[in-house]
Amino acid sequence: MRVVCPGSFDPITLGHVDIIERAAACFSEVIVAVAQNSAKNHMFEPAERVELVEVAVGHLPNVSVHALSGLLVDFCVAHDASALVKGVRTAGDYEYEAQMAQWNRTLKGIETLLVPTAPQWSYLSSTKVREVATLGGDVRAYVPAAVADRIRTWLAERPVGRGKEPGDG
Ligand code: PNS
């Protein structure tokens, strides 16, 4: 069975890697779908996020990585995948994911399988990794080594304002 692990992955964290590894252990094929992210405070462009996800899951032979634009259910149909696998950390995540799951099932019959996040990653999010890194914190314990290296380069390229866009408050 082929499944899709979708996300923005800005950047991919060790929590994401854990979910993808566990999906890869359960299913014959996993496609990681890296969504476009229109958020203003993004860190990496979509193509760079795809590259970093590829490095992070390079040890998993049955996992491939693709960019996602448009509806996730259309991506699933185009890639002949019948289910999504997503991690849930909290009750809040569950409520959000349960709603998304109904949309994806009613739109195109795509099922959603929710996997409880491993306890050690239950507080982890890409948003917090971006915030901590941008404010000078060490994020090496939360992201793959290649991602931590790339974040260091990203910060070094932005000595003024540490990642803020001109005009940001
Ligand atoms: O890592 P994220 O930001 O929580 O991932 C969200 C993602 C990519 C799964 C979600 O935004 C998504 O499914 N985007 C694709 C567009 C789509 O299909 N929207 C309708 C979902 S009901």
Side-chain angles (χ1 to χ4, degrees):
M1 182 171 170
R2 185 181 293 153
V3 298
V4 169
C5 286
S8 302
F9 303 107
D10 187 29
I12 187 166
T13 69
L14 293 178
H16 292 129
V17 173
D18 179 55
I19 296 294
I20 296 165
E21 284 176 345
R22 288 159 64 194
C26 292
F27 300 102
S28 54
E29 228 179 303
V30 176
I31 302 175
V32 182
V34 181
Q36 308 274 352
N37 181 341
S38 56
K40 196 181 174 191
N41 63 343
H42 73 278
M43 184 170 255
F44 297 119
E45 298 300 328
E48 200 164 15
R49 284 187 265 130
V50 168
E51 269 176 49
L52 288 171
V53 174
E54 280 172 345
V55 172
V57 302
H59 59 296
L60 301 168
N62 59 336
V63 177
S64 60
V65 185
H66 293 268
L68 160 69
S69 56
L71 279 180
L72 183 54
V73 288
D74 289 337
F75 178 96
C76 291
V77 170
H79 289 85
D80 200 20
S82 51
L84 301 162
V85 174
K86 296 173 122 182
V88 280
R89 294 162 296 193
T90 61
D93 274 0
Y94 175 79
E95 289 196 6
Y96 177 72
E97 293 299 346
Q99 185 188 21
M100 296 262 279
Q102 298 307 336
W103 273 101
N104 289 325
R105 196 163 77 89
T106 55
L107 279 169
K108 289 274 163 88
I110 303 298
E111 291 286 2
T112 300
L113 310 174
L114 299 179
V115 178
T117 300
Q120 70 268 33
W121 306 128
S122 59
Y123 60 94
L124 199 48
S125 71
S126 298
T127 304
K128 284 295 172 201
V129 166
R130 288 199 303 275
E131 181 179 339
V132 170
T134 304
L135 295 173
D138 184 353
V139 294
R140 281 175 297 178
Y142 313 106
V143 295
V147 174
D149 287 348
R150 188 62 198 88
I151 289 174
R152 268 198 295 280
T153 311
W154 185 89
L155 288 167
E157 287 166 357
R158 285 160 188 79
V160 179
R162 305 225 113 192
K164 283 194 170 184
E165 303 284 341
D168 279 359

